[in-house]
Amino acid sequence: MSLFGLGRNQRTFRPKKSAPSGSKGAQLRQHIDATLGSGNLREAVRLPPGEDINEWLAVNTVDFFNQVNLLYGTLTEFCTPEICPTMTAGPKYEYRWADGVQIKKPIEVSAPKYVEYLMDWIESQLDDESIFPQRLGAPFPSNFRDVVKTIFKRLFRVYAHIYHTHFQKIVSLKEEAHLNTCFKHFILFTCEFSLIDKKELAPLHELIESIVSY
């Protein structure tokens, strides 16, 4: 059974998040499903005509969180404190965790611990209705885009770790096509809305260039 197939729910790192409720969130969800179904990822990331950009960012942020959650969930038995004692993306890049609230000074932790902190932090943002409003027509905060950018920057670090440390395992599971499609979708969306600074993307620069210039 494919790790990304029917059995993946047993392996999910944490429960899947739902997109914002209300008819608007449901409409945008349908639009994403329809455009993704066409196979045109560049078309799928564009803001639909007449739609609110914050609504679009919110629905997609939940989707990308769920995607990364599922991808990493398949690797938890291979990404352990023993195998990955630090959160790295190749020999040049090491990530230390701080959320500015509970942990103010960056600390060195294992990759699985870092991802746990990261996913907990993102989940707390998604669950905060003052940041991600659930009611239709409720206003988004003035710093909403900044929060989204931080979420995307941190999700990228999980992709960077997977590609640099666990890609051979993904290949042996014959799941690299799925990983590459998820990452391509993530990067095209990131570039469409300028959500991650170029220097943050450096660990996967060559791969990203091949996606963007294709």
Side-chain angles (χ1 to χ4, degrees):
M1 184 182 290
S2 167
L3 286 179
F4 294 105
L6 296 174
R8 67 186 177 188
N9 288 341
Q10 290 93 43
R11 294 175 167 273
T12 305
F13 189 51
R14 60 193 58 222
K16 191 174 179 185
K17 300 296 294 179
S18 297
S21 55
S23 59
K24 176 60 68 180
Q27 285 169 14
L28 292 177
R29 232 331 338 111
Q30 287 173 346
H31 178 86
I32 293 170
D33 289 343
T35 49
L36 281 178
S38 73
N40 185 342
L41 290 176
R42 287 182 190 279
E43 185 63 33
V45 301
R46 289 195 189 108
L47 178 67
E51 295 296 350
D52 178 71
I53 186 166
N54 286 339
E55 297 270 11
W56 186 239
L57 289 174
V59 170
N60 279 278
T61 299
V62 173
D63 270 5
F64 286 119
F65 169 79
N66 284 329
Q67 276 186 11
V68 174
N69 183 23
L70 279 171
L71 284 166
Y72 186 76
T74 66
L75 291 168
T76 49
E77 65 189 277
F78 312 112
C79 185
T80 64
E82 293 73 34
I83 296 169
C84 302
T86 54
M87 179 66 174
T88 58
K92 287 193 199 168
Y93 301 96
E94 179 184 322
Y95 302 119
R96 299 187 175 200
W97 178 256
D99 59 13
V101 181
Q102 307 282 348
I103 301 172
K104 296 186 177 176
K105 188 177 177 184
I107 57 171
E108 182 181 301
V109 291
S110 69
K113 191 66 184 171
Y114 187 98
V115 176
E116 183 185 333
Y117 278 136
L118 181 155
M119 293 299 194
D120 283 347
W121 179 82
I122 294 176
E123 203 158 24
S124 72
Q125 307 304 300
L126 298 180
D127 288 341
D128 186 338
E129 291 205 28
S130 70
I131 302 173
F132 283 82
Q134 292 288 320
R135 284 186 302 107
L136 194 62
F140 287 86
S142 58
N143 69 333
F144 180 68
R145 194 182 183 91
D146 291 334
V147 175
V148 169
K149 287 176 79 168
T150 303
I151 289 172
F152 273 74
K153 177 179 75 174
R154 290 176 170 173
L155 287 175
F156 171 80
R157 293 175 176 181
V158 182
Y159 273 117
H161 178 70
I162 290 173
Y163 271 106
H164 276 282
T165 309
H166 301 295
F167 189 66
Q168 286 310 310
K169 178 54 68 176
I170 294 283
V171 170
S172 73
L173 296 168
K174 296 184 168 51
E175 298 295 353
E176 69 270 25
H178 180 78
L179 171 65
N180 290 341
T181 300
C182 289
F183 184 64
K184 181 178 181 180
H185 185 198
F186 177 83
I187 285 300
L188 289 174
F189 191 88
T190 295
C191 293
E192 180 77 8
F193 298 102
S194 304
L195 297 175
I196 304 178
D197 293 340
K198 196 169 182 180
K199 67 178 188 301
E200 283 284 340
L201 298 172
L204 296 177
H205 169 72
E206 289 181 12
L207 179 58
I208 292 167
E209 284 298 304
S210 71
I211 290 170
V212 174
S213 62
Y214 177 66

